[in-house]
Amino acid sequence: MKRLWLIPLLFAPGPRGAPAQDLASFVNRELPGLVGTYKDIHAHPELSHREARTSALLAGELRQAGYAVTERVGKYPDGAQAYGLVAILENGTGPRLLIRADMDALPIVEETGLSYASQVKTRNPDGQEVGVMHACGHDVHVSVMIGTARALAALKSQWRGTLMLVGQPSEETIDGAKAMLADNLYGRFGTPDFAIALHDTNLQPAGMVSFTAGNAMASSTSVDVTMRGVGSHGSRPQEGKDPVVMAAEFIVQLQTIVSRQENALDPAVVTVGDIHGGTKRNIIPDEVKMELTARAFSDAARQIILDGIRRTAQGVALAAGVPEDRAPVVNVLENESTPVLYNDPALNARLKAALAEALGPQNAVDEAPLMGSEDFGIFGLDGHKIPVVMFRLGAMDPAKFAAARAQGKWLPGPHSSRFEPLPEPTLRTGVTALASAAMALLHR
Ligand SMILES: [Zn+2]
Ligand SMILES: [Zn+2]
């Protein structure tokens, strides 16, 4: 890829006509507008694979801030073009830093009661009408990226190198990062020296950020299991093989994989989140379908779970006397699976030190790993070739947070219909943190 070498000019006006100024006063000035942008994005959430409006809004803002923007970056396995975007700002010799914000929302009816709450409804791929809500706070991430992009463009004299901002689609379906890499992201836009991102959290109040070195979020593997039986009248089970009973046995047996077969020092979770079978109380159905998620931090634990799921399904069917041609079907959905998010310990330490300086040491703390999953680690490539770090951005009203914790409770978190980031302090801290992190890595 051809690189443009820009010579920083003294007293050059920023892309918005602003003279260079320090980050805090820049953020103060930008904040009211940014809160308005946040509320607009919050009120217009879009499901994974459909981020047309959000990506266009982000592209427009980044262009206006002086970045070279490419839209529709990303290819899904079915050949569809994704709504990913890449925005480049070159500023002399120095490292190339990838900053990622994910853009998609969730099929949830919002119940926050906020004046800017989402009223959006859409049809999901099955044709059902669903509410849509930014229940994971990706609207916070997009807004923070806009503020950070403006700040770094205005403060160009304080850093050098190349910024590569990535607006990522389809994080919730964990196929967006893969789609962008499959569209030759690094071949077209350069391979970054580091990749960073933030994610909002209900585990910290607004004003704080938190860090996890090493394994930070678990791998996620999606598995479909179909227990097949032989249907019959509900009053004459002896003439069939009941897949409902087999599914029940399978689910209970599954609980022994983590508790009895897996190393207790290597955390793992297996959950059946969806189960469907049957049509009527007095009919034994032909099959029961289940959707599972497996979480793990090591390949060994992941493999033990997958082997255990297969063995348990087969064992239950065998015990029930199911004929061989009705054996259970176990399907691992590789495209709906994602590896561990591993925060490079050296980069993590560097960022934590930079943010302790920017926000005060009491506001940059360590946090335990989560069993949740994220596809951001995919930007680090196999074998952690590129160091990546995702840190967490406290998003809760500090007074409400303290009141909840005093009762031993947490405020509703990501994926809750009542997840409610407090816009102003969250965005202020987000932009300050992300811009400070970038400047620490691209220092002069
Ligand atoms: Zn999420
Ligand atoms: Zn998220």
Side-chain angles (χ1 to χ4, degrees), residues 106 136 138 171-172 199 414-415:
L106 287 160
C136 206
H138 298 180
E171 189 282 326
E172 296 296 353
H199 201 296
H415 293 213

Side-chain angles (χ1 to χ4, degrees), residues 371-430:
M371 293 311 294
S373 299
E374 240 301 332
D375 70 357
F376 173 62
I378 289 175
F379 289 109
L381 303 180
D382 287 345
H384 313 310
K385 276 196 204 77
I386 299 163
V388 310
V389 166
M390 167 175 278
F391 60 91
R392 299 200 187 102
L393 174 67
M396 297 293 99
D397 181 325
K400 290 184 190 168
F401 180 86
R405 293 308 298 139
Q407 298 181 306
K409 293 180 182 159
W410 296 101
L411 295 171
H415 293 213
S416 160
S417 59
R418 290 178 298 122
F419 179 53
E420 186 184 327
L422 189 63
E424 207 222 74
T426 302
L427 297 178
R428 177 193 301 280
T429 307

Side-chain angles (χ1 to χ4, degrees), residues 16 23 121-122 141 164 172 185 243 260 297 395 431:
R16 294 165 64 83
L23 181 58
K121 287 193 168 54
T122 188
H141 308 168
M164 180 174 169
E172 296 296 353
L185 177 68
R260 304 289 87 175
F297 280 108
V431 174

